[in-house]
Amino acid sequence: TRAKVEKVLKRCNYAPSAIAQGMVSKSLHTVAVLTVDIRDSHYARTAYTIEREFGRRGYEVILCNTGGDRAETLRTLQAVAQKQVDGLILVGSIFNTICQGAEMENLLRKMPVVLANGTLALPDAYSVMVDDCRGVEMAVEHLVKTGRRNLYYIKDKSTDSAAAKAKGFLSGMTAAGLDADGHVLETGETLEGIRPDGILCGEDLTAAGVLKALLRAGIRVPEETAVVGYDNSTYARLCEPELTSVDNKPEQVALLCVQLLQSRIEHGEDYSSVTLQPELVQRQSS
């Protein structure tokens, strides 16, 4: 009988209904991933690994770009809640501030949530963090060991992660006994009239722009000015000279997010949040 049924199913190209299966299992085996902009190299690496790993584990993934906009994030959360996804991953510390307020929090309470490098004070929200403060401290320590003293930091975003990186620069400078007053600049501010012997950036893309500007100005890297980026992305390896960069391990963060969320969905237990330590990858720019 089974063989006859399977023969008919094959002839009719039958596909089982995921909705019907979900009614039986109480799970659609579907998760949503919200990020700011998938075109960003760092977000792309994290989201790609999450999607591939969940797919390997038998889950469907709904990937959403919010542009970092609060209204768009709210609309997206409403949509994924209506689809009754089993869980949600938020990629980026910007969601720390976007996902505040009663309306947002009521939506997030409907499902387990894991944040990649972010935190939310909700009962079923978990975090996989990277110690960005320590990452920049390590970069400062590295430059100081190579004899650099006049260091500047270029901050590129207004997120909790960016704030932690800037804090790491200031604490690293203080620990080295160096003056950091006025040494944190926003992207777009000029270094005209300043001759730093070391520049640290919150992203590799920013560091690549700094490197290009220095070389165009005839400043030798790293002989006159060393440059350090953050993310250890493809940009770091494409530069000439190649960029020293802090590796914040996006693939490892992604895998831990998947593992944590799947365990929460399938076993229903509370889990502890995780903090990873970054590593400094030294290359020719320093």
Side-chain angles (χ1 to χ4, degrees), residues 33-36 43 46-47 50 89-95 114-116:
V33 177
L34 270 64
T35 187
V36 177
Y43 294 141
T46 306
I50 291 171
I89 295 180
L90 303 175
V91 180
S93 66
I94 193 170
F95 290 108
V114 176
L115 292 92

Side-chain angles (χ1 to χ4, degrees), residues 69-254:
D69 179 73
R70 180 180 174 81
E72 182 63 20
T73 300
L74 179 59
R75 186 198 67 78
T76 303
L77 284 175
Q78 290 169 336
V80 299
Q82 289 172 358
K83 293 181 182 298
Q84 297 183 325
V85 298
D86 297 302
L88 174 68
I89 295 180
L90 303 175
V91 180
S93 66
I94 193 170
F95 290 108
N96 295 6
T97 51
I98 289 178
C99 294
Q100 300 293 331
E103 194 172 11
M104 288 276 196
E105 292 177 4
N106 286 337
L107 288 168
L108 292 166
R109 290 176 190 273
K110 295 179 182 293
M111 66 200 90
V113 180
V114 176
L115 292 92
N117 212 25
T119 58
L120 281 177
L122 292 174
D124 207 8
Y126 309 90
S127 302
V128 179
M129 300 290 295
V130 177
D131 192 344
D132 288 324
C133 179
R134 178 58 189 149
V136 177
E137 284 178 344
M138 292 165 57
V140 172
E141 291 168 2
H142 163 67
L143 291 179
V144 170
K145 285 180 180 178
T146 62
R148 318 287 174 165
R149 292 293 181 271
N150 190 25
L151 307 182
Y152 279 77
Y153 179 76
I154 299 180
K155 181 183 175 186
D156 41 53
K157 290 180 179 177
S158 295
T159 64
D160 286 358
S161 174
K165 293 172 185 176
K167 180 181 177 181
F169 174 76
L170 295 175
S171 61
M173 293 286 281
T174 299
L178 300 176
D179 180 21
D181 187 31
H183 285 232
V184 176
L185 306 176
E186 301 283 345
T187 50
E189 290 190 63
T190 180
L191 283 168
E192 188 175 351
I194 303 172
R195 286 302 298 267
D197 55 14
I199 300 175
L200 299 91
C201 302
E203 287 188 349
D204 284 342
L205 186 58
T206 305
V210 168
L211 179 62
K212 184 176 181 180
L214 290 172
L215 295 177
R216 281 185 171 180
I219 299 172
R220 295 174 299 157
V221 177
E223 291 83 359
E224 295 177 80
T225 302
V227 180
V228 178
Y230 203 101
D231 288 343
N232 193 34
S233 65
T234 303
Y235 298 120
R237 294 183 291 276
L238 290 177
C239 287
E240 184 60 42
E242 292 188 0
L243 277 171
T244 294
S245 183
V246 178
D247 184 0
N248 54 357
K249 306 179 181 180
E251 289 84 6
Q252 189 173 345
V253 168

